[in-house]
Amino acid sequence: MSRIGRLIHISRPVLWINAVGTGVVGMWLTGVPFDLQALPILLWLTLPFNLLIYGVNDIFDQETDALNTRKGSIEGARIEPREVRMIAWAVAVANVPFLVYFVVALPPLAVALMLLYTGVFVFYSAPPLRFKTRPFLDSLSNAAYGLPLLIVPVALGSPPVWPAVAGLLAWSVAKHAFDAVQDIEEDREAGITTTAVRLGPRGTAIWSGAWWLVSTALFAVVSVPVAVVNVVIAGILIVWLLRRPTPATGRRLYPLSVAFPYIAGSVASALLLAGMFLGTYP
């Protein structure tokens, strides 16, 4: 049980919302409160997928994580070299059965999107691509967090809500760069040049702010209340960082950044469910 607990810690449960929450919203955007066909996808987006992306990240970021005081807490694990084999096996055991099932049971386009989704996050951390070490590409690659809004409808045979998909892709680009501000010093010391390292805190605030504005405009096509919540929270984060553009400010703002998808997602979910039960959606 202690080993299972360790794997759960490595998967960063506080961040599962970025995958499974997006998948649930993707299901609701098809116009049904629950579709049994979506259940295997949603289960995959909990521990298995998050263990994959964060386990791989921890394996290849051991040098940086050793310098990072945030690691070893709820915000992420600090692994030891002897744990690498265990993590690699756990990632395979947790994910391969799901992927085999998806190949058999889902449309080819949905499987292709899942492989793209998985591949982007694996090679964000793993060589030879290692997007994390490539300024701007590191941030842009994290647009993949929005893919469940596309994957789930395609898997269920429903048309995607494209403004919502595009809005979440843009939102994810912004959030990745913003969250990396707090790690500028550790990444620089480890010789890693991220978007945040290249632009600095002030430049990253402008970069993220621009992408959050794009996401707000796209969300407004689908739901004005969601767009308002989005721009208010993003505005607080950006203005605060611009007033004190330091990695320390990024660390202080990180709890609000983590809460961002919970708050905006709750508003979107409540509106979607209310619309379905009142017969106004779709």
Side-chain angles (χ1 to χ4, degrees), residues 217-233:
L218 290 164
F219 290 152
V221 176
V222 183
S223 171
V224 172
V226 172
V228 170
V229 171
N230 189 66
V231 77
V232 168
I233 299 176

Side-chain angles (χ1 to χ4, degrees), residues 88-147:
W89 273 105
V91 166
V93 169
N95 284 273
V96 169
F98 279 100
L99 294 176
V100 170
Y101 169 79
F102 295 149
V103 168
V104 173
L106 298 182
L109 179 57
V111 175
L113 289 169
M114 287 175 167
L115 293 175
L116 172 65
Y117 185 47
T118 302
V120 167
F121 284 113
V122 167
F123 288 110
Y124 171 80
S125 302
L129 299 179
R130 195 153 160 75
F131 299 136
K132 177 173 181 171
T133 63
R134 303 172 187 269
F136 304 109
L137 189 55
D138 64 332
S139 183
L140 292 170
S141 67
N142 272 253
Y145 272 113
L147 285 178

Side-chain angles (χ1 to χ4, degrees), residues 195-217:
T195 300
V197 170
R198 174 66 59 83
L199 295 178
R202 185 180 298 277
T204 303
I206 295 170
W207 166 269
S208 293
W211 284 103
W212 269 326
L213 282 175
V214 170
S215 72
T216 297

Side-chain angles (χ1 to χ4, degrees), residues 19 22 24 87 94 103 119 123 135-136 147 159 161 163 168 182 191 195 265:
T22 306
V24 171
I87 295 169
V103 168
F123 288 110
F136 304 109
L147 285 178
V161 180
L168 192 55
Q182 62 187 319
T195 300

